[in-house]
């Protein structure tokens, strides 16, 4: 092939030799096809390599270079470029010698001139390896994203373990006390109620003696699940230690707290813990106090709830007692 682009395609002599050499060096094949005959009339030096052609491209048709399905797709792309009357870019996946190659092809229709009929100037770039790298990059990024999610989940679990009891899954005392202080401050600013519930498991010593020491952990696990299931995300159920628990019910008054905790009491009394082939029933005693109606300070609120819970235990357990409402005499 002559070095000059004008030599093999005179109508496009405006494309200088430097451009042709640049395209050739970058692996972009330039081809010219006669639309009347469908045969390629010119091809840049790198075209056979780019198209993985085992025969000379010049003088061949799409049907002679590619299979029938691919030839039809290429012909349709040529016709679309002609219909648009301007440059047109498309993508083609072509099977070459048992391997699928991917190409980006730019087409530009060239009107008939002199003795030459209408033609298509096309530039072919093999992007197979680039697409493989893109797929690898996307897979790597997806893997990194999954790893980041796993690391974030691990960090959340580690942070959660610092504020939650390992057996019940409920908050530790320190986290509960922090939430309690925040709720008390919010209540004072916005003049709204909140409630505290003291909870103890009835007859824990008898459960231990009857079913073994490990059975107590299974009961604590069960109560932890029931407490989480019967409270909201804004509430703070906590295990104080042993058989003692407490719940902060955010933004609710004494009546609402009573209704919710009565539902929990019944759920506990109907729950059976399976352990070593045995069925362990358990009940709880509860005391409910609210701020500011049954206590004017956080410390008194906790004592008020504990006194109400002790009253429930004194009645034989499986009971819920409301703390007494304070009556402030009018001045």
């Amino acid at each position: 092939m002559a070095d000059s682009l004008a030599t093999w395609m005179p109508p496009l002599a405006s494309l200088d030799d430097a451009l042709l050499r640049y395209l050739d060096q970058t692996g972009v094949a330039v081809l010219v096809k006669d639309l009347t005959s469908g045969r390629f009339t010119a091809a840049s030096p790198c075209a056979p390599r780019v198209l993985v052609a085992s025969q000379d491209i010049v003088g061949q048709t799409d049907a002679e270079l590619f299979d029938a399905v691919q030839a039809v797709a290429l012909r349709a792309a040529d016709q679309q470029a002609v219909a648009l009357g301007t440059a047109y870019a498309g993508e083609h996946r072509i099977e070459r010698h048992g391997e699928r190659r991917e190409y980006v092809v730019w087409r530009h229709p060239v009107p008939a001139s002199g003795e030459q009929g209408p033609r298509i100037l096309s530039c072919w770039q093999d992007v197979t390896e680039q697409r493989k790298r893109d797929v690898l990059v996307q897979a790597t990024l997806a893997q990194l994203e999954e790893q980041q999610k796993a690391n974030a989940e691990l960090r959340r679990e580690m942070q959660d373990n610092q504020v939650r009891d390992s057996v019940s899954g409920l908050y530790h005392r320190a986290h509960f006390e922090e939430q309690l202080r925040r709720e008390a401050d919010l209540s004072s600013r916005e003049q709204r109620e909140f409630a505290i519930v003291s909870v103890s498991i009835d007859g824990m010593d008898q459960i231990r003696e009857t079913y073994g020491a490990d059975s107590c952990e299974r009961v604590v696990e069960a109560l932890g699940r029931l407490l989480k299931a019967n409270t909201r995300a804004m509430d703070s159920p906590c295990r104080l230690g042993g058989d003692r628990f407490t719940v902060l019910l955010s933004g609710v008054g004494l009546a609402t707290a009573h209704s919710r905790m009565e539902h929990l009491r019944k759920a506990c009394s109907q729950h059976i813990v399976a352990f070593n082939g045995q069925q362990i029933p358990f009940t709880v005693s509860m005391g409910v106090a609210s701020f500011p109606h049954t206590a004017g300070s956080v410390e008194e609120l906790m004592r008020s709830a504990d006194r109400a819970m002790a009253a429930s235990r004194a009645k034989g357990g499986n009971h819920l007692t409301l703390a007494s409402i304070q009556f402030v005499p009018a001045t």
Side-chain angles (χ1 to χ4, degrees):
M1 175 177 294
D3 291 338
S4 173
L5 185 61
T7 302
W8 54 272
M9 192 168 181
L12 296 182
S14 59
L15 292 178
D16 58 24
D17 294 342
L19 175 57
L20 179 60
R21 285 195 295 271
Y22 172 76
L23 293 174
D24 201 63
Q25 291 171 2
T26 55
V28 177
V30 181
L31 295 90
V32 179
K33 181 191 295 180
D34 182 85
L35 290 176
T36 302
S37 64
R39 296 188 180 278
F40 290 100
T41 58
S44 61
C46 71
R49 173 171 54 84
V50 174
L51 272 66
V52 197
S54 58
Q55 54 185 310
D56 190 10
I57 293 176
V58 175
Q60 304 296 319
T61 65
D62 290 332
E64 293 168 338
L65 291 171
F66 309 102
D67 66 34
V69 174
Q70 294 165 354
V72 170
L74 294 171
R75 183 65 176 173
D78 290 343
Q79 292 172 349
Q80 186 167 359
V82 172
L84 292 172
T86 186
Y88 168 72
E91 296 188 8
H92 297 283
R93 293 177 175 85
I94 296 177
E95 294 289 335
R96 306 300 288 160
H97 309 297
E99 181 183 5
R100 190 179 77 169
R101 311 296 299 180
E102 297 190 34
Y103 295 92
V104 174
V105 182
W106 294 269
R107 292 177 170 83
H108 196 291
V110 181
S113 176
E115 296 179 356
Q116 294 187 330
R119 285 143 293 155
I120 284 285
L121 172 69
S122 59
C123 297
W124 291 61
Q125 182 179 18
D126 188 338
V127 295
T128 305
E129 297 306 318
Q130 177 184 331
R131 295 292 167 79
K132 288 180 180 178
R133 288 193 296 271
D134 291 344
V135 170
L136 180 60
V137 169
Q138 292 299 321
T140 302
L141 290 176
Q143 186 176 7
L144 287 174
E145 184 178 358
E146 288 300 318
Q147 186 63 47
Q148 289 174 347
K149 290 180 180 179
N151 290 339
E153 182 63 28
L154 180 59
R155 286 194 296 271
R156 283 194 295 270
E157 289 179 1
M158 293 177 64
Q159 293 171 353
D160 207 37
N161 289 337
Q162 294 176 355
V163 298
R164 288 187 183 273
D165 172 60
S166 60
V167 179
S168 66
L170 304 178
Y171 290 116
H172 290 309
R173 179 190 290 269
H175 178 81
F176 170 80
E177 291 177 348
E178 180 182 352
Q179 295 300 110
L180 179 57
R181 286 192 295 271
R182 292 180 179 177
E183 188 70 22
D185 290 342
L186 183 64
S187 176
S188 298
R189 290 196 307 270
E190 299 186 358
Q191 301 299 309
R192 71 174 194 173
E193 295 180 87
F194 71 91
I196 290 292
V197 185
S198 289
V199 183
S200 67
I201 300 173
D202 296 326
M204 184 67 93
D205 290 340
Q206 184 177 354
I207 292 174
R208 183 181 294 105
E209 292 174 3
T210 304
Y211 302 100
D214 291 342
S215 65
C216 295
E217 286 196 356
R218 302 291 81 78
V219 173
V220 168
E221 288 176 358
L223 178 55
R225 289 193 297 269
L226 289 170
L227 279 169
K228 286 188 288 187
N230 286 274
T231 53
R232 305 160 299 170
M234 65 186 72
D235 299 327
S236 296
C238 162
R239 184 185 183 189
L240 297 178
D243 63 352
R244 293 293 309 281
F245 300 79
T246 188
V247 184
L248 186 158
L249 296 174
S250 177
V252 302
L254 200 61
T256 301
H258 175 272
S259 176
R260 291 179 180 175
M261 291 301 100
E262 178 64 15
H263 179 79
L264 173 63
R265 183 195 64 78
K266 291 179 180 178
C268 291
S269 67
Q270 296 169 1
H271 190 83
I272 299 297
V273 178
F275 176 72
N276 286 345
Q278 303 177 88
Q279 294 184 333
I280 307 174
F282 75 96
T283 60
V284 294
S285 294
M286 296 183 178
V288 181
S290 71
F291 182 90
H293 292 94
T294 63
S297 68
V298 168
E299 293 75 14
E300 179 56 31
L301 181 68
M302 293 293 295
R303 289 193 292 268
S304 180
D306 285 345
R307 286 194 297 267
M309 183 268 294
S312 292
R313 299 187 74 169
K315 295 176 183 177
N318 192 23
H319 197 81
L320 185 153
T321 301
L322 297 179
S324 300
I325 297 178
Q326 291 182 335
F327 292 97
V328 179
T331 59

